[in-house]
Amino acid sequence: MPLMAAGKEFLRKAFPDHWSFLLGEIALYSFVVLVLTGTYLTFFFHPDMAEQPYGGAYRPLRGIPTSEAYASVLRICFEIRGGQLIRQIHHWGALLFISAIGVHMLRIFFTGAFRRPRETNWFIGVSLFGLALLEGFCGYSLPDDLLSGTGLRTFQGIMLSIPVVGTYLSLFLFGGEYPGHEIVPRLFSAHILFIPGLLIALITLHLFFVVHLKHTQWPGKGKDNRNVVGKPMVPQYAAKSIGLFLTVFGVLALLGGLLQINPIWAYGPYRTDQASIDSQPDWYVGFIEGALRLMPQAETRFAGHTVAWDVFIPGVVIPSALFLVLYAYPFLERWVTGNWKEHHLCDRPRNHPTRTGLGVAGISAYAVLLAAGGQDVLAFLFDWPLESLTWIFRGALFLLPVLAFWLTKRLCLGLQAQDAVRVEQGDGAGYVRRVADGYQELRRPLPDEKKHRLLVRDTPPPLSTEELKEAGNLRRTLYFWYFGERIEPDRTPKQKRVVRKATTPPAGPEEEESGK
């Protein structure tokens, strides 16, 4: 068949052997587990908000009015054989899926693997992360228990804060006044059909680009911008990948069987006049909860409309700004550096201290918002006044990212200086000798492989005089802010040729035609 040649070539595709490249596979295999367990749960879940007295196996709730959705989840937990195990595997799998995507994106960001020609794949990855968040929220809201209902009510309040159209969006989504009778069936359709379909399509497209553009790889002997060195897919990498899938499935099965998560029978059915004590959303939307709690009260009336800034900014503006920055960052860095060439070698994070500092600053801001989402729980546990804790988190949200950026950049520059010393003098041998003016540490030369990894780094060349004239003040300032501070190791002429050869991008169509 015509596919045989392409299939044989694909089976010999080289996969890098570094552990960091397995993070994306963990996300993929978590998604496979979610599809399998979610299909099983679909047979028993009834997305109906009609209420009737509960008469199932869980005696403490018998006679209490519950929705059919809530009662069906209790039936899965207490009456369907293996239902609670599958449900908990599904919930743990969702947390691992989103976590793996997030950590995988951090690896891509810190190593510069989002640069040309992989900007499209970066966009796909960011879109997958956003869809995974939405998919998790939809699934989290389906049981119609008091905890998920509290989160759904928060979501409805965020929609209402959108100026002019917020009320119409809420009426459309909920099928009338809150809570209505349409929201759970609509979330169920989105959770099992619409969003998974988009996820599968984007994952397929993402994998296509990975195969077409090849993997990035860490610098090393024989590895450069023009090749990919690694294990072939069959049989070496396939065996490792299958083992990873079985490990992921096994770990999720252990978590689902041993660690209880989301016991909806302890929360009870949702009531619009009640709120769950100590209610905390899953971690991936916890930063929105924290932003809502830290935002001071602020409202504005304009042209007959009330704009609730204390809900609109943390609930709409901050998440939108987060994804806008993620989408735009590859273009921003390329514009600042003026570096349009292809990149197939991973950067060591220490060699790009500004980018690494920005990433750590973003993580620290996210951590502050996540912790602020549980401020009431922390105040209770540590017997700390809630108002004081709120002001501490507000101050940390502005100060901690700046401090984290500065410390990270200093640390990266220190590590660069250490690398320069190691290249020139080697590693410490663990011995010292006495000399005339004191003691001196004995050092042993670095192996060629390790020295090669330290020497090969892809740093943009300085802007030429013409480029400095053409660039605006903003771009010049950002360029020197990005790359003004760096410590390059001393290289011999031969080492410079080796580094230049390793970092030279693949030949373009014009060069290939001319035979260069």
Side-chain angles (χ1 to χ4, degrees):
M1 295 181 64
L3 297 177
M4 288 300 293
K8 289 180 179 179
E9 182 178 354
F10 175 72
L11 294 180
R12 301 303 295 172
K13 171 179 164 51
F15 284 83
D17 207 28
H18 197 271
W19 64 266
S20 61
F21 293 94
L22 300 177
L23 295 170
E25 291 194 32
I26 293 176
L28 174 63
Y29 296 147
S30 301
F31 182 72
V32 173
V33 174
L34 286 173
V35 172
L36 295 175
T37 55
T39 301
Y40 180 84
L41 295 174
T42 303
F43 292 122
F44 308 105
F45 178 72
H46 298 164
D48 191 349
M49 297 186 69
E51 288 193 349
Q52 58 185 1
Y54 177 72
Y58 188 65
R59 292 185 179 182
L61 290 178
R62 284 183 179 176
I64 296 179
T66 64
S67 66
E68 179 59 27
Y70 182 77
S72 66
V73 178
L74 290 180
R75 193 176 305 119
I76 291 172
C77 296
F78 295 106
E79 300 177 40
I80 303 300
R81 187 177 298 275
Q84 174 67 350
L85 174 64
I86 299 299
R87 176 176 169 268
Q88 295 203 150
I89 292 176
H90 190 74
H91 200 125
W92 282 114
L95 297 181
L96 180 61
F97 176 56
I98 301 174
S99 303
I101 293 178
V103 177
H104 179 59
M105 287 181 60
L106 289 177
R107 199 277 297 178
I108 298 292
F109 178 82
F110 285 122
T111 62
F114 56 82
R115 295 172 297 178
R116 186 183 178 200
R118 295 176 177 83
E119 299 98 334
T120 302
N121 234 6
W122 171 258
F123 298 155
I124 295 173
V126 174
S127 301
L128 281 170
F129 186 62
L131 286 173
L133 297 182
L134 183 59
E135 174 77 342
F137 175 77
C138 291
Y140 172 85
S141 304
L142 288 180
D144 198 31
D145 62 292
L146 189 56
L147 183 61
S148 66
T150 303
L152 197 58
R153 181 65 181 88
T154 303
F155 173 69
Q156 193 249 357
I158 292 173
M159 276 198 302
L160 290 176
S161 72
I162 301 175
V164 182
V165 299
T167 304
Y168 301 101
L169 288 175
S170 176
L171 291 173
F172 172 76
L173 184 62
F174 286 86
E177 293 292 337
Y178 178 86
H181 290 82
E182 302 293 333
I183 185 61
V184 169
R186 291 177 177 178
L187 289 176
F188 181 68
S189 299
H191 184 68
I192 69 168
L193 292 176
F194 182 65
I195 302 177
L198 290 176
L199 285 173
I200 292 173
L202 288 180
I203 289 173
T204 303
L205 190 60
H206 182 75
L207 295 177
F208 168 79
F209 277 114
V210 168
V211 173
H212 176 66
L213 299 174
K214 310 297 188 293
H215 281 81
T216 55
Q217 59 187 350
W218 293 100
K221 282 285 188 178
K223 300 177 181 179
D224 55 46
N225 258 333
R226 296 171 177 258
N227 65 12
V228 179
V229 179
K231 300 292 181 61
M233 181 175 181
V234 177
Q236 287 92 337
Y237 200 82
K240 177 190 291 188
S241 190
I242 293 172
L244 179 62
F245 168 69
L246 296 176
T247 301
V248 169
F249 208 145
V251 169
L252 290 176
L254 287 174
L255 291 173
L258 301 177
L259 299 180
Q260 179 175 274
I261 188 170
N262 197 24
I264 64 165
W265 55 89
Y267 308 140
Y270 178 61
R271 293 286 180 271
T272 55
D273 59 342
Q274 298 178 8
S276 179
I277 298 176
D278 295 345
S279 61
Q280 306 295 320
D282 282 337
W283 71 267
Y284 47 86
V285 290
F287 75 101
I288 299 179
E289 176 79 10
L292 287 167
R293 296 189 182 203
L294 295 185
M295 181 69 185
Q297 183 179 3
E299 291 185 359
T300 301
R301 289 194 59 83
F302 177 76
H305 297 279
T306 300
V307 181
W309 299 107
D310 50 346
V311 180
F312 178 68
I313 291 178
V316 179
V317 175
I318 290 180
S320 302
L322 169 64
F323 280 91
L324 182 62
V325 169
L326 290 176
Y327 280 118
Y329 186 83
F331 294 108
L332 173 63
E333 183 170 305
R334 189 170 66 183
W335 173 71
V336 170
T337 63
N339 193 343
W340 289 73
K341 69 179 184 179
E342 291 188 12
H343 299 270
H344 300 282
L345 291 178
C346 293
D347 291 328
R348 300 179 77 200
R350 67 183 64 182
N351 292 336
H352 282 265
T354 302
R355 179 204 295 156
T356 304
L358 289 173
V360 174
I363 293 173
S364 64
Y366 182 90
V368 170
L369 293 177
L370 185 62
Q375 61 177 137
D376 52 342
V377 179
L378 296 175
F380 176 77
L381 289 176
F382 297 102
D383 194 21
W384 195 278
L386 182 64
E387 294 79 7
S388 300
L389 198 60
T390 300
W391 280 104
I392 289 174
F393 279 127
R394 285 174 177 172
L397 182 60
F398 292 97
L399 296 178
L400 187 60
V402 176
L403 180 62
F405 172 82
W406 182 81
L407 288 175
T408 302
K409 191 167 184 178
R410 293 297 101 192
L411 178 62
C412 289
L413 291 172
L415 292 173
Q416 285 185 23
Q418 183 190 52
D419 288 344
V421 173
R422 293 177 66 198
V423 168
E424 182 180 355
Q425 303 179 10
D427 281 331
Y431 297 95
V432 294
R433 65 181 176 185
R434 187 174 182 178
V435 293
D437 56 348
Y439 292 90
Q440 183 183 54
E441 182 183 13
L442 297 178
R443 306 184 75 91
R444 63 167 65 97
L446 289 178
D448 291 341
E449 174 71 21
K450 187 175 293 186
K451 183 181 290 188
H452 182 87
R453 288 201 300 268
L454 296 182
L455 287 173
V456 175
R457 59 177 68 176
D458 192 4
T459 54
L463 296 177
S464 63
T465 305
E466 295 181 358
E467 289 176 325
L468 286 172
K469 292 180 180 179
E470 294 176 359
N473 292 330
L474 177 60
R475 184 186 170 194
R476 285 197 298 268
T477 302
L478 288 176
Y479 180 88
F480 290 114
W481 180 60
Y482 259 76
F483 303 106
E485 289 185 276
R486 62 176 182 262
I487 301 172
E488 296 284 348
D490 292 331
R491 300 182 177 96
T492 64
K494 180 180 178 181
Q495 290 172 341
K496 290 181 180 179
R497 289 194 297 270
V498 171
V499 173
R500 191 181 305 114
K501 179 181 178 182
T503 57
T504 299
E510 296 179 358
E511 294 175 309
E512 291 178 353
E513 290 178 4
S514 62
K516 294 182 180 180

